[in-house]
Amino acid sequence: AHFSFKKAADMMCLKIVEADLDENYKIDVESIKDKITENTVAIVAIAGTTELGLIDPIEEISEIAHENNIYFHVDAAFGGFSIPFLKSAGHEYPEFDFKLPGVCSITVDPHKMGLAPIPAGGIIFRKKEYLEVMAVDSPYLTVKTQSTIVGTRLGASTAATYGLLKYFGRKGYSKLATRLMENTLFLKESLEKIGYDIIVEPELNIVAFNHPTKSPQELSDELEKINGWKVSVANCPEAIRIVLMNHVTKTHLKEFLDDLEKLY
Ligand SMILES: *Cc1c(COP(=O)(O)O)cnc(C)c1O
């Protein structure tokens, strides 16, 4: 999970209990069942993990949360602007949203695949009550209550997000998401052809890979030396991690792959 959960838990004096992962780095559903106690206030699962872009078994977790009457939050900050649009383009993904009765809230980050400017962030709630329990009176303002931590804040990124939604529409976002997946598969298959090890089959637009003998840090340093590439080294699992966002083109990928071939 994203480090933001540590901040939230710290602010609310909650203890985070981490679920085990299965061999594909997704939440092991059985371990959630084992870890639920009468003190459990919420369960969190991720639709598009920051490190690998994987989607946790949200359908199953929703069922557990629903049965046990526990709040269930889905973090689709990364995947929220891709999964629905890839689905409408014919890709298959399990359900991750309010169709599942256990899902209470979902974060969706317009500033990632939504192409909106930072700091556009989004959270949607199943019921208005969830916002109301967080509300604080704001007597001298036009709105009588506020449910957020920050007070006065910029509306520009929200306006930009609205503009982008209107501009791209479902079709536009579907096209963008499809192109990202094409680039992702192109990179993954080309890396395999050279001989690099792919950590997991990509589900969204992230490819994590390793050289058979060099450590990710060594390879990252060599990439920087050879052509100034700055790549991210993931920790869990240790690997070079490439997020194929919209500004990354096929041409970039080909140049990158040429250098990776030289360093192989
Ligand atoms: C990016 C991300 C976040 C945090 O979003 P910011 O808007 O960058 O703070 C949370 N969860 C996941 C899975 C993310 O990828």
Side-chain angles (χ1 to χ4, degrees), residues 2 4 46 48-50 75 77-78 109 111-112:
H2 193 265
S4 47
I46 322 292
T49 54
T50 310
D75 180 1
F78 185 81
D109 238 351
H111 83 70
K112 292 185 180 158

Side-chain angles (χ1 to χ4, degrees), residues 119-164:
I123 180 161
I124 38 183
F125 292 95
R126 179 172 214 111
K127 297 180 192 160
K128 209 172 174 195
E129 288 120 81
Y130 295 142
L131 265 179
E132 286 164 358
V133 293
M134 294 187 280
V136 172
D137 289 339
S138 50
Y140 68 90
L141 296 181
T142 338
V143 285
K144 291 295 160 233
T145 60
Q146 267 200 5
S147 300
T148 52
I149 292 166
V150 275
T152 305
R153 56 198 181 278
L154 75 174
S157 56
T158 312
T161 302
Y162 179 76
L164 285 159

Side-chain angles (χ1 to χ4, degrees), residues 46-49 53-55 75-86 96 107-109 112-113 204-205:
I46 322 292
T49 54
L54 298 177
I55 304 165
D75 180 1
F78 185 81
F81 262 90
S82 298
I83 302 166
F85 303 114
L86 287 169
F96 77 106
T107 35
V108 183
D109 238 351
K112 292 185 180 158
M113 267 55 73
L204 293 171
N205 49 319

Side-chain angles (χ1 to χ4, degrees), residues 1 5 8-9 12-19 27 31-33 35-46 61-62 64-66 68-75 102-105 123 125 130 134:
F5 289 104
M12 296 190 286
C13 300
L14 295 174
K15 182 178 139 200
I16 292 180
V17 178
E18 290 184 355
I27 289 181
S31 96
I32 291 204
K33 284 187 194 160
K35 287 175 196 236
I36 289 176
T37 71
E38 55 181 23
N39 292 327
T40 305
V41 292
I43 301 174
V44 171
I46 322 292
I61 300 169
S62 161
I64 298 170
H66 199 53
N68 290 279
N69 202 20
I70 297 171
Y71 190 96
F72 180 34
H73 174 72
V74 174
D75 180 1
V103 176
C104 301
S105 51
I123 180 161
F125 292 95
Y130 295 142
M134 294 187 280

Side-chain angles (χ1 to χ4, degrees), residues 223-261:
L223 277 164
E224 174 142 20
K225 226 183 255 161
I226 196 171
N227 225 341
W229 299 104
K230 295 207 184 280
V231 295
S232 133
V233 176
N235 286 320
C236 174
E238 268 194 50
I240 302 270
R241 164 180 170 269
I242 308 294
V243 185
L244 290 112
M245 295 191 75
N246 292 276
H247 56 277
V248 178
T249 63
K250 261 272 175 60
T251 313
H252 296 140
L253 293 176
K254 283 181 185 156
E255 288 171 12
F256 184 52
L257 284 159
D258 279 349
D259 285 339
L260 279 167
E261 189 148 25

